[in-house]
Structures are given as structure tokens and as C-alpha cells.
Amino acid sequence: GVTATNQNVNVLDFFSSLVVPELTSEPLSQRPVLRASCLKFVTVFRNQLPREQISQLLPAICKHITAESAVVHTYAAICIEKLLRVKDKTPQGQVAPRYDPVSMKGPLLQMVQPILQIIAASKGIPMNEYLMRTVARIFAFLKQQGAETGLAMLGPLSAILIAMAANPSNPVFNHNLF
């Protein structure tokens, strides 16, 4: 992502006035190219966007995982995966995750089952490595907070594993599946 911006370009104003309204509007099937571009904007400028605004927008970003467009649900997965990796320095000089797993738990866990359904049904991009990476990142980020849902998802994950074992054609997808 971007680490520095030009002071003459107001990224936050652009985000608030154009990106947020587009990502929060319904229905999700309208303007897929624009929605994908807005998700890409959030992904690229994730280090400049305030925690509070991203926390408010998170449920809307997570909803995009259910979009029919493979591009939109893939960009939503990439956006979430990258947001979960953002870290900030603490006043003590240590590096810590920007976002709190407890506050993000609900929207993130609601994404897991739709992602696994998309993968199992081979909707959009077969063996979509970005979707699988997002599932892995969600559970790595939530740690113990996601344990209960993780146990419930073992059935769908094992069905995907059996299907992929029969025809292992995407090593990155397989890596993230494990």
C-alpha cells in the first residue's frame, strides 16, 4: 500500500465523499467495476485511512464477499486480507495490529461461510487463492476469538480439501487451504 501521499491531494475527503457512499449503497450488483475500484482504493490507501472510518465501513466491505461478480468478491477478499495486516507503532515503539480482533469479530466471521460456499461451488474463479487466503488470515487474526466458528467450518473445509486432493492444480490455493 501507499506509505506517503502528496499534501495537495486530500485522500480522506475523496474516501469520505466518493468511496464510502459507493461501498455502502445497495444493491451490491450495481456498478461492479466502480465497486471493485473503491475496494482497490481502500486496499491501496489502507495505511492513510483512520481506524474509526475503516471500522465503520468494515461491514459494508464484508458484504461485498457475497457479490455475484467474481472481481468484486475477490477484491473484497483482498481488501479484508490486507486491512487485517496493517500494523502501527505503539508509544513504546512496538509494532501492534491497528485493528482490534474483538471489535471486528462479527463482520469477519460472517464472511467465512459465504467464502467457503463460493469456493465449494466454484463460482467465479475456480480455486480462488485470494478467497482462501482471506479465510486463513481471518482465523490467524482472530486467534481464539474465531475458535468456535473455526470448529463449525471444519466440515466445509474438509469437503473442499477432498475435492482439491482429487485435482491439485493451484499450489497457492492449496497452501492457504492447509
Side-chain angles (χ1 to χ4, degrees):
V2 173
T3 55
T5 59
N6 185 323
Q7 64 187 18
N8 297 325
V9 178
N10 192 337
V11 173
L12 292 177
D13 185 45
F14 184 86
F15 173 74
S16 299
S17 62
L18 297 170
V19 175
V20 171
E22 185 60 37
L23 291 177
T24 55
S25 68
E26 296 285 337
L28 294 179
S29 60
Q30 288 184 337
R31 300 181 301 279
V33 174
L34 184 57
R35 286 181 184 274
S37 297
C38 288
L39 290 164
K40 179 74 172 181
F41 179 90
V42 174
T43 303
V44 169
F45 290 99
R46 65 188 177 272
N47 292 317
Q48 280 69 40
L49 301 174
R51 173 188 350 214
E52 297 76 27
Q53 287 185 315
I54 292 296
S55 296
Q56 291 172 354
L57 187 62
L58 183 71
I61 294 172
C62 292
K63 275 187 192 177
H64 284 81
I65 208 68
T66 62
E68 286 297 316
S69 168
V71 173
V72 173
H73 69 238
T74 300
Y75 270 66
I78 293 168
C79 183
I80 293 297
E81 193 265 334
K82 298 288 187 192
L83 284 172
L84 297 180
R85 294 174 56 191
V86 174
K87 301 204 183 313
D88 290 327
K89 284 197 174 191
T90 63
Q92 296 81 20
Q94 298 174 328
V95 177
R98 179 179 289 182
Y99 303 104
D100 175 39
V102 175
S103 65
M104 295 179 83
K105 177 182 173 182
L108 291 176
L109 291 179
Q110 288 175 0
M111 288 179 67
V112 175
Q113 188 168 0
I115 290 174
L116 295 179
Q117 288 171 346
I118 291 167
I119 292 169
S122 290
K123 280 193 201 169
I125 303 167
M127 291 185 272
N128 189 329
E129 62 196 66
Y130 301 105
L131 294 177
M132 199 67 241
R133 182 180 299 146
T134 300
V135 171
R137 179 72 57 201
I138 287 170
F139 286 115
F141 175 75
L142 292 176
K143 295 183 174 76
Q144 196 61 32
Q145 298 292 322
E148 190 175 308
T149 301
L151 288 173
M153 293 299 118
L154 285 177
L157 279 169
S158 64
I160 293 168
L161 179 61
I162 290 168
M164 295 311 127
N167 184 20
S169 58
N170 185 341
V172 176
F173 176 87
N174 295 341
H175 172 79
N176 289 305
L177 178 59
F178 286 104

Coordinates of all heavy atoms in Angstrom, one line a residue, residues 3 5 43 45 59 72 75-76 104 110 114 161-162 177:
T3 N 2.6 4.5 1.3 CA 3.2 4.9 2.6 C 3.2 6.4 2.8 O 3.3 6.8 4.0 CB 4.6 4.3 2.8 OG1 5.4 4.8 1.6 CG2 4.6 2.8 2.8
T5 N 1.6 10.3 1.0 CA 0.8 10.9 -0.1 C 1.2 12.4 -0.3 O 1.8 13.0 0.6 CB -0.7 10.9 0.3 OG1 -0.9 11.6 1.5 CG2 -1.2 9.5 0.4
T43 N -7.8 -0.7 -0.3 CA -6.7 -1.6 -0.2 C -5.4 -0.8 -0.3 O -4.5 -0.9 0.5 CB -6.7 -2.7 -1.2 OG1 -8.0 -3.4 -1.1 CG2 -5.6 -3.6 -1.1
F45 N -4.8 2.6 -0.1 CA -4.6 3.7 0.9 C -4.9 3.2 2.3 O -5.2 4.1 3.2 CB -5.5 4.9 0.5 CG -5.0 5.5 -0.8 CD1 -5.6 5.3 -2.0 CD2 -3.9 6.4 -0.7 CE1 -5.1 5.9 -3.2 CE2 -3.4 7.0 -1.9 CZ -4.0 6.8 -3.1
P59 N -18.3 -3.6 7.9 CA -19.5 -4.4 7.5 C -19.9 -4.3 6.0 O -20.2 -5.3 5.4 CB -20.6 -4.0 8.4 CG -19.9 -3.4 9.6 CD -18.7 -2.7 9.0
V72 N -15.6 -8.4 -7.9 CA -15.9 -7.7 -6.7 C -15.7 -8.5 -5.5 O -15.1 -8.1 -4.5 CB -17.4 -7.2 -6.8 CG1 -17.8 -6.6 -5.4 CG2 -17.6 -6.2 -7.9
Y75 N -11.9 -8.8 -4.9 CA -11.3 -7.5 -4.4 C -11.7 -7.3 -3.0 O -10.9 -6.7 -2.2 CB -11.8 -6.3 -5.3 CG -10.8 -6.0 -6.4 CD1 -10.6 -6.9 -7.5 CD2 -10.1 -4.9 -6.5 CE1 -9.8 -6.7 -8.5 CE2 -9.2 -4.6 -7.5 CZ -9.0 -5.5 -8.5 OH -8.2 -5.2 -9.5
A76 N -13.0 -7.7 -2.6 CA -13.4 -7.6 -1.2 C -12.5 -8.4 -0.3 O -12.1 -8.0 0.8 CB -14.9 -7.9 -1.0
M104 N -13.8 -6.5 15.5 CA -14.0 -6.9 14.1 C -14.6 -8.3 13.9 O -14.9 -8.7 12.8 CB -12.7 -6.8 13.3 CG -12.2 -5.3 13.3 SD -10.6 -5.2 12.4 CE -11.2 -5.2 10.7
Q110 N -18.8 -13.5 9.7 CA -19.9 -13.7 8.8 C -19.5 -13.9 7.4 O -20.3 -14.3 6.5 CB -20.8 -12.4 8.9 CG -21.6 -12.4 10.2 CD -22.4 -11.1 10.4 OE1 -22.4 -10.2 9.5 NE2 -23.1 -11.0 11.5
P114 N -19.9 -17.7 3.5 CA -20.1 -17.4 2.1 C -18.8 -17.6 1.3 O -18.9 -18.1 0.1 CB -20.5 -15.9 2.1 CG -21.0 -15.6 3.5 CD -20.3 -16.6 4.4
L161 N -11.1 -29.7 0.8 CA -9.8 -30.4 0.8 C -9.9 -31.7 0.0 O -9.0 -32.0 -0.8 CB -9.4 -30.6 2.3 CG -8.1 -31.4 2.4 CD1 -6.9 -30.6 1.8 CD2 -7.8 -31.6 3.9
I162 N -11.0 -32.4 0.2 CA -11.2 -33.7 -0.5 C -11.3 -33.4 -2.0 O -10.7 -34.1 -2.8 CB -12.4 -34.4 0.0 CG1 -12.1 -35.0 1.4 CG2 -12.8 -35.6 -0.9 CD1 -13.3 -35.5 2.2
L177 N -5.2 -23.3 2.0 CA -6.3 -24.3 2.5 C -5.7 -25.0 3.7 O -6.5 -25.2 4.7 CB -6.6 -25.3 1.4 CG -7.7 -26.3 1.8 CD1 -9.0 -25.7 2.2 CD2 -7.9 -27.3 0.6

